PDB file of all heavy atoms in Angstrom:
ATOM      1  N   TRP A  25      27.049  12.785  27.340  1.00 61.00           N
ATOM      2  CA  TRP A  25      26.264  12.299  28.483  1.00 61.00           C
ATOM      3  C   TRP A  25      25.352  11.151  28.077  1.00 61.00           C
ATOM      4  O   TRP A  25      24.545  11.279  27.185  1.00 61.00           O
ATOM      5  CB  TRP A  25      25.452  13.465  29.020  1.00 61.00           C
ATOM      6  CG  TRP A  25      24.798  13.200  30.311  1.00 61.00           C
ATOM      7  CD1 TRP A  25      23.471  13.170  30.575  1.00 61.00           C
ATOM      8  CD2 TRP A  25      25.435  12.926  31.545  1.00 61.00           C
ATOM      9  NE1 TRP A  25      23.238  12.920  31.911  1.00 61.00           N
ATOM     10  CE2 TRP A  25      24.427  12.765  32.525  1.00 61.00           C
ATOM     11  CE3 TRP A  25      26.764  12.814  31.939  1.00 61.00           C
ATOM     12  CZ2 TRP A  25      24.713  12.488  33.860  1.00 61.00           C
ATOM     13  CZ3 TRP A  25      27.046  12.537  33.277  1.00 61.00           C
ATOM     14  CH2 TRP A  25      26.024  12.369  34.213  1.00 61.00           C
ATOM     15  N   PRO A  26      25.467  10.002  28.723  1.00 58.00           N
ATOM     16  CA  PRO A  26      24.729   8.814  28.278  1.00 58.00           C
ATOM     17  C   PRO A  26      23.217   8.863  28.462  1.00 58.00           C
ATOM     18  O   PRO A  26      22.510   8.130  27.839  1.00 58.00           O
ATOM     19  CB  PRO A  26      25.328   7.683  29.111  1.00 58.00           C
ATOM     20  CG  PRO A  26      26.080   8.324  30.190  1.00 58.00           C
ATOM     21  CD  PRO A  26      26.397   9.710  29.793  1.00 58.00           C
ATOM     22  N   GLY A  27      22.727   9.673  29.313  1.00 57.00           N
ATOM     23  CA  GLY A  27      21.267   9.665  29.456  1.00 57.00           C
ATOM     24  C   GLY A  27      20.822  10.900  30.187  1.00 57.00           C
ATOM     25  O   GLY A  27      21.498  11.357  31.097  1.00 57.00           O
ATOM     26  N   TRP A  28      19.733  11.447  29.808  1.00 46.00           N
ATOM     27  CA  TRP A  28      19.291  12.660  30.477  1.00 46.00           C
ATOM     28  C   TRP A  28      18.983  12.412  31.930  1.00 46.00           C
ATOM     29  O   TRP A  28      19.328  13.196  32.799  1.00 46.00           O
ATOM     30  CB  TRP A  28      18.063  13.264  29.777  1.00 46.00           C
ATOM     31  CG  TRP A  28      18.380  13.726  28.408  1.00 46.00           C
ATOM     32  CD1 TRP A  28      17.801  13.335  27.256  1.00 46.00           C
ATOM     33  CD2 TRP A  28      19.382  14.676  28.035  1.00 46.00           C
ATOM     34  NE1 TRP A  28      18.375  13.983  26.198  1.00 46.00           N
ATOM     35  CE2 TRP A  28      19.345  14.800  26.636  1.00 46.00           C
ATOM     36  CE3 TRP A  28      20.316  15.429  28.748  1.00 46.00           C
ATOM     37  CZ2 TRP A  28      20.186  15.654  25.924  1.00 46.00           C
ATOM     38  CZ3 TRP A  28      21.161  16.285  28.040  1.00 46.00           C
ATOM     39  CH2 TRP A  28      21.078  16.380  26.647  1.00 46.00           C
ATOM     40  N   ASP A  29      18.255  11.324  32.207  1.00 48.00           N
ATOM     41  CA  ASP A  29      18.028  11.065  33.627  1.00 48.00           C
ATOM     42  C   ASP A  29      18.915   9.899  34.018  1.00 48.00           C
ATOM     43  O   ASP A  29      18.562   8.752  33.872  1.00 48.00           O
ATOM     44  CB  ASP A  29      16.556  10.761  33.910  1.00 48.00           C
ATOM     45  CG  ASP A  29      16.025   9.634  33.060  1.00 48.00           C
ATOM     46  OD1 ASP A  29      16.611   9.394  31.984  1.00 48.00           O
ATOM     47  OD2 ASP A  29      15.061   8.997  33.464  1.00 48.00           O
ATOM     48  N   ALA A  30      20.087  10.263  34.471  1.00 51.00           N
ATOM     49  CA  ALA A  30      21.024   9.227  34.862  1.00 51.00           C
ATOM     50  C   ALA A  30      20.569   8.674  36.195  1.00 51.00           C
ATOM     51  O   ALA A  30      20.826   9.275  37.221  1.00 51.00           O
ATOM     52  CB  ALA A  30      22.407   9.836  34.996  1.00 51.00           C
ATOM     53  N   ASN A  31      19.855   7.556  36.187  1.00 60.00           N
ATOM     54  CA  ASN A  31      19.355   7.042  37.457  1.00 60.00           C
ATOM     55  C   ASN A  31      20.532   6.792  38.348  1.00 60.00           C
ATOM     56  O   ASN A  31      20.588   7.186  39.475  1.00 60.00           O
ATOM     57  CB  ASN A  31      18.591   5.728  37.337  1.00 60.00           C
ATOM     58  CG  ASN A  31      18.108   5.475  35.939  1.00 60.00           C
ATOM     59  OD1 ASN A  31      18.685   5.989  34.983  1.00 60.00           O
ATOM     60  ND2 ASN A  31      17.066   4.735  35.816  1.00 60.00           N
ATOM     61  N   ARG A  32      21.503   6.086  37.777  1.00 74.00           N
ATOM     62  CA  ARG A  32      22.671   5.889  38.594  1.00 74.00           C
ATOM     63  C   ARG A  32      23.859   5.559  37.713  1.00 74.00           C
ATOM     64  O   ARG A  32      23.835   4.618  36.944  1.00 74.00           O
ATOM     65  CB  ARG A  32      22.424   4.724  39.551  1.00 74.00           C
ATOM     66  CG  ARG A  32      23.425   4.683  40.673  1.00 74.00           C
ATOM     67  CD  ARG A  32      23.152   3.498  41.556  1.00 74.00           C
ATOM     68  NE  ARG A  32      24.354   2.777  41.869  1.00 74.00           N
ATOM     69  CZ  ARG A  32      24.890   2.706  43.105  1.00 74.00           C
ATOM     70  NH1 ARG A  32      24.317   3.329  44.102  1.00 74.00           N
ATOM     71  NH2 ARG A  32      25.990   2.026  43.310  1.00 74.00           N
ATOM     72  N   LEU A  33      24.841   6.374  37.843  1.00 83.00           N
ATOM     73  CA  LEU A  33      26.075   6.105  37.124  1.00 83.00           C
ATOM     74  C   LEU A  33      27.153   5.901  38.164  1.00 83.00           C
ATOM     75  O   LEU A  33      27.123   6.528  39.214  1.00 83.00           O
ATOM     76  CB  LEU A  33      26.457   7.289  36.243  1.00 83.00           C
ATOM     77  CG  LEU A  33      25.441   7.683  35.194  1.00 83.00           C
ATOM     78  CD1 LEU A  33      25.920   8.883  34.440  1.00 83.00           C
ATOM     79  CD2 LEU A  33      25.198   6.537  34.226  1.00 83.00           C
ATOM     80  N   VAL A  34      28.094   5.017  37.868  1.00 87.00           N
ATOM     81  CA  VAL A  34      29.153   4.757  38.835  1.00 87.00           C
ATOM     82  C   VAL A  34      30.499   4.787  38.139  1.00 87.00           C
ATOM     83  O   VAL A  34      30.638   4.244  37.039  1.00 87.00           O
ATOM     84  CB  VAL A  34      28.969   3.369  39.494  1.00 87.00           C
ATOM     85  CG1 VAL A  34      29.979   3.191  40.601  1.00 87.00           C
ATOM     86  CG2 VAL A  34      27.574   3.214  40.031  1.00 87.00           C
ATOM     87  N   ILE A  35      31.445   5.434  38.777  1.00 87.00           N
ATOM     88  CA  ILE A  35      32.817   5.391  38.273  1.00 87.00           C
ATOM     89  C   ILE A  35      33.504   4.251  39.005  1.00 87.00           C
ATOM     90  O   ILE A  35      33.440   4.174  40.233  1.00 87.00           O
ATOM     91  CB  ILE A  35      33.557   6.706  38.565  1.00 87.00           C
ATOM     92  CG1 ILE A  35      32.822   7.873  37.908  1.00 87.00           C
ATOM     93  CG2 ILE A  35      34.988   6.636  38.051  1.00 87.00           C
ATOM     94  CD1 ILE A  35      33.444   9.213  38.205  1.00 87.00           C
ATOM     95  N   ARG A  36      34.144   3.364  38.255  1.00 89.00           N
ATOM     96  CA  ARG A  36      34.781   2.208  38.899  1.00 89.00           C
ATOM     97  C   ARG A  36      36.241   2.103  38.505  1.00 89.00           C
ATOM     98  O   ARG A  36      36.600   2.315  37.356  1.00 89.00           O
ATOM     99  CB  ARG A  36      34.099   0.917  38.462  1.00 89.00           C
ATOM    100  CG  ARG A  36      32.677   0.804  38.845  1.00 89.00           C
ATOM    101  CD  ARG A  36      32.179  -0.623  38.793  1.00 89.00           C
ATOM    102  NE  ARG A  36      30.957  -0.720  39.552  1.00 89.00           N
ATOM    103  CZ  ARG A  36      29.756  -0.867  39.022  1.00 89.00           C
ATOM    104  NH1 ARG A  36      29.615  -0.976  37.731  1.00 89.00           N
ATOM    105  NH2 ARG A  36      28.688  -0.925  39.796  1.00 89.00           N
ATOM    106  N   GLY A  37      37.065   1.717  39.452  1.00 86.00           N
ATOM    107  CA  GLY A  37      38.465   1.468  39.107  1.00 86.00           C
ATOM    108  C   GLY A  37      39.331   1.279  40.321  1.00 86.00           C
ATOM    109  O   GLY A  37      39.072   1.866  41.367  1.00 86.00           O
TER     110      GLY A  37
END
Side-chain angles (χ1 to χ4, degrees):
Chain A
W25 190 243
W28 295 122
D29 54 337
N31 340 25
R32 195 181 134 113
L33 301 178
V34 187
I35 301 177
R36 297 198 162 107

